[in-house]
Amino acid sequence: MADFTFPHDTRASHMHYVSTRGQAPQKRFTDILLGGLMEDGGLAMPAQYPAFSRADLDAMRGMDYRQLAFAVLSRFADDIPADDLKALIDRTYTPEVYCNTVSGSDARDITPLYTLEPGLHLLELSNGPTLAFKDMAMQLLGNLFEYALARSGDSLNIFGATSGDTGSSAEYAMRGKRGIRVFMLSPHGKMSRFQTAQMFSLQDPNIFNIAVRGVFDDCQDMVKAVSNDLEFKAKYRIGTVNSINWARVSAQVVYYFKGYFSATKSNDEQVSFTVPSGNFGNVCAGHIARMMGLPIRHLVVATNENDVLDEFFRSGVYRPRGTAETLHTTSPSMDISKASNFERFIYDLTGRDTAQVRAMWGEVDRGRPFDLSASPLFGRVASDYGFQSGSSNHAHRVSTMRLANERWGRAIDTHTADGLKVALERREADVPMIVLETALPAKFSETVVEALGREPVRPAGMENLESLPQRFEVMDADVVAMKAFIAANAG
Ligand SMILES: *Cc1c(COP(=O)(O)O)cnc(C)c1O
């Protein structure tokens, strides 16, 4: 895909963002940095992908993580002065931030490649503060938000609901940041002790943990209710950090490049990636890396029992589930009813036909399926875009965790186990397979104990996490009381 520039149109040399639904004005990177959906309900996409030529890839091979991050992100965030962007990247991707390696890997690699056997690798994305891959993008987001707010003189109150990984990753990214406060709802007593302790032990005055007497859906309903009150939202400058945020997706593109260069010796080679998937944010970044010219053969989407994505890649039918249909599994961060970033891929698949995307998501937004099984587009999903898929379940997870331990002496977490299970089915003889490690086993110890009969190793300094003092509010699922709490504590 060419990166056209037209000499008579100076705007064409800048990166602009358009909506997947085609009815919102173009934006620049910093315009969409703090936002979620575009005005027409669609998702932001680059008007064209930057292209990396063979010569570019040759120049990038040998770069360290920070240099790669700048090479990639300067193409997407070209309205941030280069020196500023470089400083933000250098501050984010340090071995001090991504220090929690327990495998013996070198933290200076930021995302070390761990070789199980020749041609089969794990890309360690979970050595950040909360031991899940979401830290890779969220830590940058924290620094970008602080930078943008300082430039505009604004402040921001982040309001969200979490059942685990996203909320803690957001809190560790935003803690202590000037101009930012975080109000994070979680279902009281329903998260693991480790995840609860990780969040509630934060003592930073700009972090507010709210344990809601109810289930996760009650928390999410309250976020929706506050978001729908536009007057309140504007008055208290309420924002979110959900997985459709473009800056998060673009920051995730970087480690596909890093993984590719680590697993190969020349840019003539191809690799495949297997990605434990939920909201399709992680693997969407892989798709974007491939569109930019990275030699990726297959992108293998691995799901757990919540197999809405696997079903699409097998059958061409995308059937979002109701929340009541969503199963609670032992890889909980992949328990989704629909995949919020999937619209970005379908936009590309249709040749960026926004009328078609509007028609399809007109159905999806009403909870109805769409069916591409009879469309020539469906054949292109695999042939042109390289997608494959597979699914896993609790029994697979446990047996794959045992296999990794026995054959390679490597403990893995439940989400990574879903990925490895599918990767072993999809692996080809001559193409290196890289499985993305999306969390450390210490985060999901119950299933590790079930599989391996022992507690997983914790990173240094986290041994006594559960005994640290905790700071949180317990509240009812009451929107009026919630708004009053935010009003009293907003920045
Ligand atoms: C969020 C998460 C996933 C799913 O990633 P998506 O970008 O939503 O597809 C997988 N594994 C872990 C551990 C996660 O936290």
Side-chain angles (χ1 to χ4, degrees), residues 126 131-134 164-166 195 243 248 252 255 275-284 302 309 331-336 339-341 413-416 436-440 443-444:
S126 311
L131 316 187
F133 90 97
K134 293 190 172 67
D165 286 351
T166 308
Q195 282 186 316
S243 75
R248 279 181 69 182
Q252 290 167 358
Y255 51 69
V275 187
S277 292
N279 273 318
F280 204 77
N282 200 353
V283 74
C284 186
L309 286 168
S331 45
S333 299
M334 292 156 61
D335 292 347
I336 51 104
S340 47
N341 279 290
D413 99 290
T414 52
H415 306 77
T416 309
L436 301 192
E437 181 175 50
T438 57
L440 290 192
K443 207 158 185 183
F444 300 94

Side-chain angles (χ1 to χ4, degrees), residues 274-275 277 300-311 313-314 321 331 334 388-394 396-397 400 417-423 425-426:
T274 300
V275 187
S277 292
V300 184
V301 176
T303 72
N304 64 15
E305 293 89 330
N306 295 289
D307 60 353
V308 47
L309 286 168
D310 183 42
E311 183 175 279
F313 288 107
R314 284 176 191 277
R321 318 286 202 251
S331 45
M334 292 156 61
Q388 297 185 333
S389 74
S391 72
S392 169
N393 61 33
H394 181 76
H396 295 137
R397 222 167 276 142
T400 307
D418 289 332
L420 183 58
K421 183 264 179 186
V422 174
E425 295 166 351
R426 292 294 183 173

Side-chain angles (χ1 to χ4, degrees), residues 41-79:
L43 307 185
M45 283 289 270
Q48 77 270 322
Y49 290 118
F52 286 130
S53 65
R54 174 61 197 257
D56 293 329
L57 292 176
D58 290 345
M60 291 164 84
R61 183 173 282 279
M63 286 185 180
D64 68 16
Y65 197 93
R66 288 183 284 276
Q67 291 167 324
L68 279 178
F70 183 75
V72 170
L73 293 171
S74 59
R75 307 292 291 273
F76 288 120
D78 63 350
D79 56 341

